[in-house]
Amino acid sequence: MDATIEVRGLRKRYGPTLAVDALSFTARPGQVTGFVGPNGAGKSTTLRMIMGLDRPDAGSALVGGRPYRSLRTPLCRLGAMLDASAVHPARRARDHLRWLAHAGGLPRRRVEEVIELTGLASAAGRRAGGFSLGMRQRLGIAAALLGDPPALMFDEPVNGLDPEGITWIRGLLRSLAAEGRAVLVSSHLMSELEGGADRLVVIGRGRLIADTSVADLLEAASGGRVELRTAERQEAMTVLARAGATVTAAGPGAVTVAGLPAERIIALLTGEGVAFSGVSEHRASLEEAYMELTRDAVEFRAVAGREAP
Amino acid sequence: MSALHAEWTKLRTLPSTWWLLAALAGITAAAGAAVTGAVDTSACPDPAACREDTAKLALSGVQIGQVAAVVLGVLAVGGEYATGTIAATLAAVPRRGAVLAAKAAVVAAAVAAAGSAGVLASLAAGRGILPGNGFTAANGHPPLSLLDGATARAAAGTVLYLVLVALLSLGAGTAVREPAAAITAVLALLWIVPVLTRLAGDPRWQERLERLAPMTAGLAVQATRDLDRLPIGPWAGMGVLAGYAAAALAAGWILLAARDA
């Protein structure tokens, strides 16, 4: 069964706001695809269009090559958690899963299996209204897994979770992908996806900013920069700038140098008699790489805004 | 079929469903008994001259009890919008018409069951209360009985009335989505004409309004005597109410199919 989630030229307008514009990307089987963008970037809207809840103004979203609403057993093709708080507070957790299982034509034993899988066994008989956020997330994930689908989507699954819950969800996402499923997971914080995603689809204001592997993105963001630790910051910056490097202060006693290899920096500083305590290759975090990407998008938007007020 | 099973499970697993169904039966019977107990033959010059429609009197509690049917019908779908479960519902069953049809079926069945209980209890209460108030067989008021054709029609028609009111509410809830707004709109539709007719001085206008309004037309089915003096015939009146319910469901269905969830 083809598990690919494919979005092609998606556009959605809500009144004057263009929520999603010309968006294309693919979430492939066996990978965790991180879907990242600031709040209001159009992530949830995109996921809703993939599920056939909202109708796109243009473009298409396909699950295993077919529009979601044409699937005969949708819960067995794509499982999704869009909003963990979307449960009736007066209904017991097990009953919430039961009606979903009935709607999907799934056997009752699947309900017990996903309860076990998500560690909800002791809480399944309680009304969902009394659930903590973490338990609601687990219930939402249990619902997504009901049909044992080859493709899965989670909207902000770690939002508001404690560290233990975050670790659990990361491990779960990884193991679902390792089983060959396509896993699309959205977040407004790149750091939440660090070590969890294979590919990243970054959007801002409804448009695609980057569609890349995590490794490529980190390499590009690190960009051969060197971190230098020195007590004589002013002198070091002058010397290196004269040699043609771009030098930026990175906190007290530290500068980031771009445009010069580490060996050349050491030679220059030693020659000029500037003391330093450390030189290391700069290793960008995912968060930094993301800031770099979205900073470009912000500048682009500012220019575009001036042209068309 | 799976949509029907899912909707039944959804309805069954909410405590509010059982409270509302109990309220529907209980309030219908209790209000009917209270009204029946307050009417006796002393106002008539002679007990035998009383033209009181005792079956209609015993079943009058439905005018209050129907509020529970309105709330149940609206919440069957409005509750899903309020809590956000509508997304999961439409993700599991993308054919939106099937979702609404399944909701209509389970709401109708539940209201029919509770409505029958309320109607039977109302008739039993009437049977016990009426003779003590002078409505005896000797005065031309035989005990209420479902073996009497007109009383049986009034009883069955009252259950059908409740079912149609619930379906009207389901349609309104689907179209409006906001439960409080939908409940207010349906109650206004049901009650506004009875209020207006009291204000309208012209009896011809009063009759016209009573023929067109869902509650007055629908409850014509409760009359068991002086049928020729009704503004609209029992089943024609039920047809008017059915028209309202069908229009509300059609509006709900069209909007549900066309709108973003």
Side-chain angles (χ1 to χ4, degrees), chain A residues 248-295:
Chain A
T248 45
V255 291
T256 305
V257 189
L260 278 182
E263 296 80 11
R264 183 96 180 91
I265 293 171
I266 294 170
L268 276 169
L269 294 178
T270 315
E272 296 287 335
V274 180
F276 60 94
S277 58
V279 177
S280 57
E281 295 284 344
H282 175 80
R283 177 122 186 83
S285 71
L286 212 45
E287 192 67 36
E288 246 179 294
Y290 172 57
M291 295 300 275
E292 198 131 301
L293 278 173
T294 45
R295 187 166 53 236

Side-chain angles (χ1 to χ4, degrees), chain A residues 12 48 51-55 68-69 74-75 85-91 95 99-100 102-103 127, chain B residues 2 5-6 9-10 13-15 83-85 87-94 96 257-258 260-261:
Chain A
K12 181 70 181 179
R48 288 175 64 83
M51 287 180 74
L53 295 172
D54 290 3
R55 205 186 301 270
Y68 184 88
R69 287 183 70 173
L75 294 189
S85 65
V87 286
H88 199 297
R91 192 176 278 126
D95 289 333
W99 75 253
L100 266 172
H102 293 327
R127 301 197 190 280
Chain B
S2 56
H5 195 180
T9 305
K10 247 184 252 178
T13 54
L14 284 184
T83 59
T85 54
T89 294
L90 297 181
V93 183
R96 297 184 180 183
D260 287 341

Side-chain angles (χ1 to χ4, degrees), chain B residues 130-160:
Chain B
L130 287 165
N133 288 0
F135 297 104
T136 58
N139 289 334
H141 293 283
L144 295 178
S145 165
L146 288 176
L147 296 177
D148 170 50
T151 306
R153 186 251 302 140
T158 301
V159 175
L160 186 56

Side-chain angles (χ1 to χ4, degrees), chain B residues 4-62:
Chain B
L4 201 60
H5 195 180
E7 289 307 328
W8 170 238
T9 305
K10 247 184 252 178
L11 196 66
R12 179 175 68 75
T13 54
L14 284 184
S16 60
T17 299
W18 301 103
W19 286 113
L20 285 168
L21 292 175
L24 173 57
I27 292 173
T28 297
V35 171
T36 308
V39 176
D40 59 30
T41 52
S42 62
C44 308
D46 156 23
C50 258
R51 303 284 297 157
E52 191 60 47
D53 188 338
T54 48
K56 185 177 175 179
L57 189 66
L59 292 172
S60 58
V62 78

